[in-house]
Amino acid sequence: MKAKQLLSLIIIFFIATGIFVAKKVFLKEKLETKEYTSLEISFNPSHVKEIKIEAPNSEGVSLINKDNDWVVASRWNLEAERPKIEMLIAAFSNLTGELRSASKGLLGDYGITEGKAYSITISTEDSQPQKFFIGAKKPSPGKTFLRKNNSNAVYLVNADIFSLFGIEGDGSLDQNFWVDLKLLRTDIDKIESIQIVKSIEGREVSTVWLKKELDTKKDLKHWVVVGEKKPVFDIDASKIRSFIARLNNLRAIQAVKPGSKDYGLGTPFLRIILGNGKGRKELIVGNEVSGQSKERYVATSKDSIYTISDSRLKNLDIDISKFFIDNPLRIDKKSLESISISTPGGKRLTLNKDLIGENMDYVEKLKKFSVKRLLFSSRYPKGLSGAAVYQLVILKSDGSNLTLNVNAKEIEKGEFISWVKDNKGVFYVIGKKVYENLFEGLDQLNLGSRKGLNK
């Protein structure tokens, strides 16, 4: 073959190839590209009663509206996160899209055939269910391929439907994405009582028991401590309110299947009971999830069981001392008459009204007195008989005198037992810093003409 003939054939080949490619590109572009238009999806968002979401090789999600409360039917009818459902419904009721293909043969290019696509079926109380397929192939961030059931028309929609479905990573559906993991929802102002009951040494102990009572003189309700052994220190209503607010924001890690095992809910580790005058809400904390984890099971009812982290559990496992007012000794220079400190060796130091003014640094330390926790174990108080103690006696002009005894020996590292005279059976644990503020460095106090401790 001559060189001129060979060159002609090569030119003809490239021309033919160019025409073929041009047809594929331009004809396909003409077929697949149109301006954005409404997908004619018609349903009343407020009338949606059920939503089913399905995915390849994944358990489907079923969401049902029961008396205007959404539940995850595919997850033991647990309460659903309503905002996520409302966001999904709103997105679908306003979808617009750009037609990309109308050929059945091209459905596989988008991963939108029935075997490979995701789907959503929306049912309302006044119309037939509407089903949509979502392509498994993602075109670009914030966009998704979608087609209606019984239609080959594929649209590119400006909505990240995968995000609305809670799909990440391996592309599987996550049931917990839809479950409302908030354990409590309460109206703070309507809570009338709080009780926390803990299992201690095989017995149930109310570590917190509060209720609102009417102050007839002020015609206002205020919080009071309930029970036989009441702490002498006053409580702070704002701290109680903050605690209820934290309960409202308490979230579980995940939901677990009810009845599948013994979660320790029959003999609970902890119970938190909130009363509102008409009924009550209860959190029941059971066993640890495993020996390697401090997470525990927690239930809001027999059919609503979750796991909770150790860090969040610490906000529940508290006693009444967490609500004590700041400056629980109510130290006020104006009302102080005298401060006396006795040591285990029998020596006593007294600051009269004049000397109090000369020792304001010590007075400020008394203001910082705080209780770390209450002591409910029976093994410590029994050993206090005859123990060496420090004693702090505070006399005030208004008669609200107080005598605080503190065991001189640590019960645990950095912890000391204290109790208030005439506050029988109530024992407070104070930290090392508080102990040091009260009883160390006493020789540095200004005693005027007197030196050291009185005998």
Coordinates of all heavy atoms in Angstrom, one line a residue, residues 97-130:
G97 N -35.5 19.3 40.1 CA -34.4 18.5 39.6 C -34.2 18.8 38.1 O -35.0 19.4 37.4
E98 N -33.0 18.4 37.7 CA -32.6 18.6 36.3 C -32.7 17.2 35.6 O -32.0 16.3 36.1 CB -31.2 19.2 36.2 CG -30.6 19.3 34.8 CD -29.2 19.7 34.9 OE1 -28.8 20.4 35.8 OE2 -28.4 19.4 33.9
L99 N -33.4 17.0 34.6 CA -33.5 15.8 33.9 C -32.2 15.4 33.3 O -31.6 16.1 32.5 CB -34.6 15.8 32.8 CG -34.8 14.5 32.1 CD1 -35.4 13.4 33.0 CD2 -35.8 14.7 30.9
R100 N -31.7 14.2 33.7 CA -30.4 13.8 33.2 C -30.5 12.6 32.2 O -29.7 12.3 31.4 CB -29.5 13.4 34.3 CG -29.2 14.5 35.3 CD -28.7 15.7 34.6 NE -27.5 15.6 33.9 CZ -26.2 15.7 34.4 NH1 -26.1 16.1 35.6 NH2 -25.2 15.5 33.6
S101 N -31.6 11.8 32.3 CA -31.8 10.6 31.4 C -33.2 10.2 31.5 O -33.9 10.3 32.5 CB -30.8 9.5 31.9 OG -31.1 8.3 31.2
A102 N -33.7 9.6 30.4 CA -35.1 9.1 30.4 C -35.1 7.7 29.8 O -36.1 7.1 29.5 CB -36.0 10.0 29.5
S103 N -33.9 7.1 29.7 CA -33.7 5.7 29.1 C -33.5 4.7 30.2 O -32.7 4.8 31.1 CB -32.5 5.7 28.2 OG -32.2 4.4 27.8
K104 N -34.3 3.6 30.1 CA -34.2 2.5 31.1 C -32.8 1.9 31.0 O -32.2 1.5 32.0 CB -35.2 1.4 30.8 CG -35.2 0.3 31.7 CD -36.3 -0.7 31.4 CE -36.3 -1.9 32.5 NZ -37.4 -2.9 32.2
G105 N -32.2 1.9 29.8 CA -30.9 1.3 29.7 C -29.8 2.1 30.4 O -28.7 1.5 30.6
L106 N -30.0 3.3 30.8 CA -29.0 4.1 31.4 C -29.2 4.1 32.9 O -28.4 4.8 33.6 CB -29.0 5.5 30.9 CG -28.7 5.7 29.4 CD1 -28.9 7.2 29.0 CD2 -27.2 5.3 29.2
L107 N -30.2 3.5 33.5 CA -30.4 3.5 34.9 C -29.2 3.0 35.7 O -28.8 3.5 36.8 CB -31.6 2.7 35.3 CG -33.0 3.2 34.8 CD1 -34.1 2.4 35.2 CD2 -33.2 4.7 35.2
G108 N -28.5 2.0 35.2 CA -27.4 1.4 35.9 C -26.2 2.4 36.0 O -25.4 2.2 36.9
D109 N -26.2 3.3 35.1 CA -25.1 4.3 35.1 C -25.2 5.2 36.4 O -24.2 5.7 36.8 CB -25.1 5.2 33.9 CG -24.8 4.5 32.6 OD1 -24.3 3.3 32.7 OD2 -25.0 5.0 31.5
Y110 N -26.4 5.3 36.9 CA -26.6 6.1 38.1 C -26.7 5.3 39.4 O -26.9 5.8 40.5 CB -27.8 7.0 38.0 CG -27.9 7.8 36.7 CD1 -28.6 7.4 35.6 CD2 -27.2 9.0 36.7 CE1 -28.6 8.1 34.4 CE2 -27.2 9.7 35.5 CZ -27.9 9.3 34.4 OH -27.9 10.1 33.2
G111 N -26.6 3.9 39.3 CA -26.9 3.1 40.4 C -28.3 3.2 40.9 O -28.5 3.1 42.1
I112 N -29.2 3.3 40.0 CA -30.6 3.6 40.4 C -31.6 2.6 40.0 O -32.8 2.8 39.9 CB -31.0 5.1 39.9 CG1 -32.1 5.7 40.8 CG2 -31.4 5.0 38.4 CD1 -32.3 7.1 40.6
T113 N -31.1 1.4 39.6 CA -31.9 0.2 39.4 C -32.5 -0.3 40.7 O -31.9 0.0 41.8 CB -31.2 -0.9 38.7 OG1 -30.0 -1.3 39.5 CG2 -30.7 -0.4 37.3
E114 N -33.6 -1.0 40.7 CA -34.2 -1.4 41.9 C -33.3 -2.3 42.8 O -33.4 -2.3 44.0 CB -35.5 -2.2 41.6 CG -36.6 -1.3 41.1 CD -38.0 -1.9 41.2 OE1 -38.2 -2.7 42.1 OE2 -38.8 -1.6 40.3
G115 N -32.4 -3.0 42.3 CA -31.5 -3.9 43.0 C -30.4 -3.1 43.7 O -29.8 -3.6 44.7
K116 N -30.0 -2.0 43.2 CA -28.8 -1.2 43.7 C -29.2 0.1 44.3 O -28.3 0.7 45.0 CB -27.8 -1.0 42.5 CG -27.2 -2.3 42.0 CD -26.2 -2.0 40.9 CE -25.6 -3.3 40.4 NZ -24.6 -3.0 39.3
A117 N -30.4 0.6 44.1 CA -30.7 1.9 44.6 C -31.2 1.9 46.0 O -31.7 0.9 46.5 CB -31.8 2.5 43.7
Y118 N -31.2 3.1 46.6 CA -31.8 3.3 47.9 C -33.3 3.7 47.5 O -33.6 4.1 46.4 CB -31.2 4.4 48.7 CG -29.8 4.0 49.1 CD1 -28.7 4.1 48.3 CD2 -29.5 3.7 50.5 CE1 -27.4 3.7 48.7 CE2 -28.2 3.3 50.9 CZ -27.2 3.4 50.0 OH -25.9 3.0 50.4
S119 N -34.2 3.6 48.5 CA -35.5 4.1 48.2 C -36.2 4.6 49.4 O -35.8 4.3 50.6 CB -36.4 2.9 47.7 OG -36.6 2.0 48.7
I120 N -37.2 5.5 49.2 CA -38.0 6.0 50.3 C -39.5 6.0 49.8 O -39.8 6.3 48.7 CB -37.6 7.5 50.6 CG1 -38.5 8.0 51.8 CG2 -37.6 8.4 49.4 CD1 -38.0 9.3 52.3
T121 N -40.3 5.5 50.7 CA -41.8 5.5 50.4 C -42.5 6.4 51.5 O -42.3 6.1 52.7 CB -42.3 4.0 50.5 OG1 -41.6 3.2 49.6 CG2 -43.8 4.0 50.2
I122 N -43.2 7.3 51.0 CA -43.9 8.3 51.9 C -45.4 8.0 51.8 O -46.0 8.1 50.7 CB -43.6 9.7 51.5 CG1 -42.1 10.0 51.6 CG2 -44.3 10.7 52.3 CD1 -41.6 11.3 51.1
S123 N -46.0 7.7 52.9 CA -47.5 7.5 52.9 C -48.2 8.6 53.7 O -47.7 9.0 54.8 CB -47.8 6.1 53.6 OG -47.1 5.1 52.9
T124 N -49.3 9.0 53.2 CA -50.1 10.0 53.9 C -51.5 9.5 54.2 O -51.9 8.5 53.6 CB -50.2 11.3 53.1 OG1 -50.9 11.1 51.9 CG2 -48.8 11.9 52.7
E125 N -52.2 10.2 55.0 CA -53.6 9.8 55.3 C -54.6 10.1 54.2 O -55.7 9.6 54.3 CB -54.0 10.5 56.6 CG -54.0 12.0 56.5 CD -54.2 12.7 57.9 OE1 -53.9 12.0 58.9 OE2 -54.6 13.8 57.9
D126 N -54.2 10.9 53.2 CA -55.2 11.2 52.2 C -54.7 11.0 50.8 O -55.3 11.6 49.8 CB -55.6 12.7 52.4 CG -54.3 13.6 52.4 OD1 -53.2 13.1 52.2 OD2 -54.5 14.8 52.7
S127 N -53.7 10.2 50.6 CA -53.2 9.9 49.2 C -52.5 8.6 49.2 O -52.2 8.0 50.2 CB -52.3 11.0 48.7 OG -51.1 11.1 49.5
Q128 N -52.2 8.1 47.9 CA -51.5 6.9 47.8 C -50.0 7.0 48.1 O -49.5 8.1 48.0 CB -51.6 6.4 46.3 CG -53.0 6.0 45.9 CD -53.5 4.7 46.6 OE1 -52.7 3.8 46.8 NE2 -54.7 4.8 47.1
P129 N -49.4 6.0 48.6 CA -48.0 6.0 48.9 C -47.1 6.4 47.7 O -47.5 6.0 46.6 CB -47.6 4.6 49.4 CG -48.9 4.0 49.8 CD -50.0 4.6 49.0
Q130 N -46.1 7.3 47.9 CA -45.3 7.7 46.8 C -43.9 7.1 47.1 O -43.3 7.4 48.2 CB -45.2 9.2 46.7 CG -46.6 9.8 46.4 CD -46.5 11.3 46.1 OE1 -45.7 11.7 45.3 NE2 -47.3 12.1 46.9

